[in-house]
């Protein structure tokens, strides 16, 4: 028997076998999948459809996300408003009309009240003066000037600062430590003060 004859015989035997039918459940699942695929292709084949689909999915996501949190969020907000309202009524802030309340600005610069007797400077210099809360000189340093800063100029500056009265800076009406710059000019009988 040749190869061709054997293949022919096999074909005939296979054709004579009874045809098997797919189970009904499998046929139903295949139809459902085919229907979903066709629907998906129709939906995304039109140009504006993808944007509409994304919008629908976002709306669904938003609705599913917001519903579980809506009641706790509103409850928390209501509780916060009630607690704040209770404290505002319990601790009222009233202006005291009997006290002489002088309105102050938030921050004032330090300044020199009165200068004591001083001798004209023998060198140009700029001095940074640290003032405490009482308006007294706490410290000073030479920021710029002729190097070296001579001892006689230093003593002159110290004598001038010793007899000078300062007004400290204020913050919300309270005196605070601050710094002030004083400029000395050679031969000049006046001082330049910057806050």
């Amino acid at each position: 028997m040749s190869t061709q004859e054997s293949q022919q015989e096999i074909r005939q035997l296979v054709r004579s076998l009874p045809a098997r039918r797919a189970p009904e459940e499998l046929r139903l699942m295949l139809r459902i999948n085919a229907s979903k695929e066709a629907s998906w292709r129709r939906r995304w084949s039109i140009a504006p459809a993808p944007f509409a689909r994304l919008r629908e999915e976002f709306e669904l996501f938003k609705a599913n996300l917001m519903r579980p949190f809506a009641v706790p969020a509103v409850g928390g907000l209501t509780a916060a408003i009630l607690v704040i309202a209770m404290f505002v009524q319990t601790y009222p802030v009233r202006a005291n009309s009997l006290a002489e309340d002088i309105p102050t600005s938030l921050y004032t610069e330090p300044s020199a009240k009165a200068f004591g007797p001083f001798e004209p400077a023998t060198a140009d210099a700029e001095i940074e003066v640290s003032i405490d809360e009482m308006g007294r000189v706490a410290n000073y340093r030479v920021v710029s000037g002729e190097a070296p800063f001579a001892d006689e100029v230093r003593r002159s500056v110290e004598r001038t600062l010793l007899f000078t009265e300062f007004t400290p800076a204020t913050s919300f009406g309270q005196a605070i430590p601050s710094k002030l710059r004083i400029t000395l000019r050679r031969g000049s009988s006046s001082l330049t003060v910057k806050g």
Side-chain angles (χ1 to χ4, degrees):
M1 187 182 266
S2 68
T3 314
Q4 189 175 6
E5 290 174 355
S6 64
Q7 287 178 355
Q8 188 71 22
E9 188 179 347
I10 291 171
R11 279 193 207 112
Q12 287 175 357
L13 290 172
V14 169
R15 282 186 191 141
S16 66
L17 289 172
R20 293 193 63 185
R21 292 181 58 88
E24 194 61 36
E25 292 175 6
L26 177 63
R27 291 172 62 190
L28 181 62
M29 289 299 294
L30 289 174
R31 283 184 181 168
I32 291 172
N33 287 341
S35 173
K36 284 182 181 176
E37 184 67 23
S39 172
W40 186 84
R41 286 189 183 193
R42 277 194 306 272
R43 184 176 294 161
W44 290 94
S45 63
I46 306 168
F51 299 111
R53 176 71 176 155
L54 289 174
R55 188 177 52 103
E56 288 173 9
E57 288 181 2
F58 176 73
E59 292 295 328
L60 180 63
F61 171 75
K62 187 173 72 171
N64 289 339
L65 180 71
M66 296 306 275
R67 279 190 189 144
F69 294 114
V71 172
V74 170
L77 187 61
T78 305
I81 291 171
L82 289 175
V83 168
I84 290 171
M86 285 184 344
F87 279 113
V88 167
Q89 289 180 359
T90 305
Y91 300 107
V93 178
R94 294 190 180 95
N96 187 356
S97 59
L98 301 175
E100 294 179 19
D101 188 17
I102 301 169
T104 61
S105 56
L106 297 179
Y107 180 80
T108 59
E109 296 285 336
S111 60
K113 251 195 240 180
F115 288 108
F118 67 93
E119 45 203 70
T122 57
D124 291 342
E126 188 169 342
I127 301 157
E128 184 177 76
V129 181
S130 296
I131 304 166
D132 65 6
E133 298 91 355
M134 304 300 289
R136 296 181 298 235
V137 175
N139 196 5
Y140 79 93
R141 71 181 179 94
V142 178
V143 179
S144 65
E146 294 179 3
F149 198 62
D151 285 341
E152 66 176 81
V153 176
R154 186 178 301 278
R155 280 193 296 272
S156 171
V157 167
E158 288 172 355
R159 280 193 297 271
T160 301
L161 292 176
L162 182 65
F163 293 106
T164 304
E165 294 179 42
F166 294 99
T167 304
T170 59
S171 178
F172 293 98
Q174 299 294 320
I176 57 170
S178 50
K179 293 189 178 181
L180 185 68
R181 288 204 177 188
I182 298 175
T183 306
L184 301 173
R185 296 281 175 230
R186 179 182 293 147
S188 173
S189 60
S190 64
L191 299 174
T192 307
V193 181
K194 291 185 220 174

